[in-house]
Amino acid sequence: MKRDYYEILEVAKNATPEEVKKAYRKQALIWHPDRNKSPEAEDKFKEINEAYEVLSNPQKRGAYDQFGHAAFEGGGNPFGGGGAGARQGPFGYTFYSGGGENTSPFSDFDFSSGGFSDPFEIFEQFFGRASPFKRQSRKQVYRIKLDFMEAVEGSQKEIEINGKKRRVKIPAGVDDGQRISFNEFILLVQVKPHSVFRREGNNIIITHKIDYPTAVMGGVAQIPTIRGAVQLKIRPGTSSGTLVRLRGRGVDAPSIFGAKGDQYVQLQVEVPRKISRDQKKLLEEYKETLT
């Protein structure tokens, strides 16, 4: 039986991300096998890094809280296909009403695709440098900063390694904190935030404002995506906070050929602060019809 990840890091289940980081730092430094010579150090170190890899990732942590270790074992996606509260839209997207259970935009996230990372690489990634202990044979880690779209689309970058300029290929779909391994070195990727798009795994999240008449009567909105704008049909009676999934409009999965994430659009209804006398009269007339 695997131990509880919260127990391994010695944190409460409601621990903040900063508390999880602090706990990981403490445990990883204690149990690093090049520092701790006890027979159980290697297994403890792997266990600590596995726990941190899950609890430091909001998607994985959410799955673990709901399904435990089963979320990362074989047998497919523990969430199933879409979940309650999802309603398929007419143009390949799904609406989620705000406020209820089972409305997570990550209900289709795949947690069963290949186990956990090298614990030494997690350690180096967390501390932002190579292990401070003895493993001299491990590759040197360098940081590279990418614009949001460079990470999404891939790019060619010129970097300097040991005084020599090198041209490297950045694969499409790399994310902040990921590592790209080359023959002689490893690049630790840092991605600059975007003014419109927010990334969660291979999914893109945006907030889009619609006016009050469109929310009431329905209409069409122009929605930006990483591959250009698309038209989204707004249903009559759309409430603020409604979440819409645009299938396949997310980031290419770098490890799975042809796989793409989705884009999630959270609709916010703009209520006007000031209205004209005629508009107020019309609203008052409408209000009377409700009584």
Side-chain angles (χ1 to χ4, degrees):
M1 291 287 293
K2 282 192 172 185
R3 290 175 62 202
D4 181 82
Y5 287 147
Y6 293 97
E7 179 184 331
I8 291 169
L9 293 186
E10 299 181 1
V11 295
K13 289 194 173 182
N14 62 350
T16 65
E18 285 304 316
E19 289 171 335
V20 170
K21 284 183 180 180
K22 184 177 180 181
Y24 169 74
R25 178 188 291 271
K26 176 182 176 182
Q27 296 289 336
L29 287 172
I30 291 173
W31 291 104
H32 194 292
D34 289 331
R35 183 179 189 180
N36 189 318
K37 298 303 181 182
S38 61
E40 70 271 21
E42 182 112 13
D43 288 339
K44 284 271 193 182
F45 185 66
K46 290 178 181 178
E47 186 180 55
I48 290 162
N49 281 278
E50 182 177 315
Y52 177 71
E53 184 173 357
V54 171
L55 299 186
S56 64
N57 183 305
Q59 296 166 275
K60 291 183 180 181
R61 183 174 179 177
Y64 178 72
D65 288 344
Q66 188 170 0
F67 298 99
H69 293 292
F72 311 101
E73 295 170 357
N77 182 1
F79 289 104
R87 295 172 289 151
Q88 183 64 41
F91 305 119
Y93 52 80
T94 304
F95 280 84
Y96 293 82
S97 301
E101 295 183 359
N102 299 320
T103 59
S104 169
F106 311 113
S107 58
D108 291 328
F109 187 84
D110 181 8
F111 292 97
S112 58
S113 57
F116 297 92
S117 306
D118 179 351
F120 289 94
E121 289 191 359
I122 296 173
F123 182 93
E124 292 172 7
Q125 178 178 329
F126 178 87
F127 288 93
R129 52 186 168 81
S131 168
F133 307 116
K134 296 179 182 177
R135 297 205 172 214
Q136 301 297 327
S137 60
R138 299 189 67 82
K139 296 178 183 178
Q140 185 67 36
V141 178
Y142 299 89
R143 295 177 185 269
I144 184 169
K145 290 187 177 181
L146 302 175
D147 290 332
F148 187 89
M149 292 307 300
E150 284 181 324
V152 167
E153 297 175 342
S155 62
Q156 297 274 348
K157 302 290 285 187
E158 189 174 85
I159 60 174
E160 188 172 303
I161 302 293
N162 295 327
K164 297 180 180 179
K165 289 187 176 181
R166 301 282 298 270
R167 192 162 187 82
V168 296
K169 183 178 181 180
I170 306 298
V174 296
D175 202 357
D176 187 63
Q178 289 185 344
R179 307 157 84 74
I180 308 170
S181 182
F182 295 89
N183 288 336
E184 303 151 17
F185 57 89
I186 292 172
L187 290 182
L188 174 60
V189 175
Q190 293 180 309
V191 181
K192 300 175 185 177
H194 195 275
S195 59
V196 175
F197 304 119
R198 180 167 58 88
R199 185 171 171 181
E200 294 285 353
N202 291 324
N203 297 317
I204 296 291
I205 318 293
I206 74 165
T207 299
H208 188 80
K209 295 180 180 179
I210 58 174
D211 58 41
Y212 184 72
T214 300
V216 173
M217 298 183 294
V220 176
Q222 286 283 116
I223 304 296
T225 78
I226 58 174
R227 298 180 184 88
V230 297
Q231 287 193 330
L232 174 66
K233 186 175 180 180
I234 307 298
R235 294 178 174 178
T238 294
S239 59
S240 192
T242 294
L243 195 67
V244 184
R245 178 171 64 180
L246 303 177
R247 291 182 180 274
R249 291 286 177 173
V251 181
D252 292 344
S255 59
I256 307 173
F257 179 77
K260 288 181 173 62
D262 301 322
Q263 177 164 314
Y264 293 88
V265 183
Q266 187 173 48
L267 298 173
Q268 287 189 349
V269 179
E270 286 189 296
V271 179
R273 294 186 177 183
K274 294 181 180 181
I275 57 177
S276 67
R277 184 177 300 175
D278 289 341
Q279 289 171 332
K280 183 177 181 181
K281 183 179 179 180
L282 289 171
L283 286 174
E284 287 173 345
E285 291 175 355
Y286 170 69
K287 184 177 179 180
E288 288 176 2
T289 65
L290 301 177
T291 58

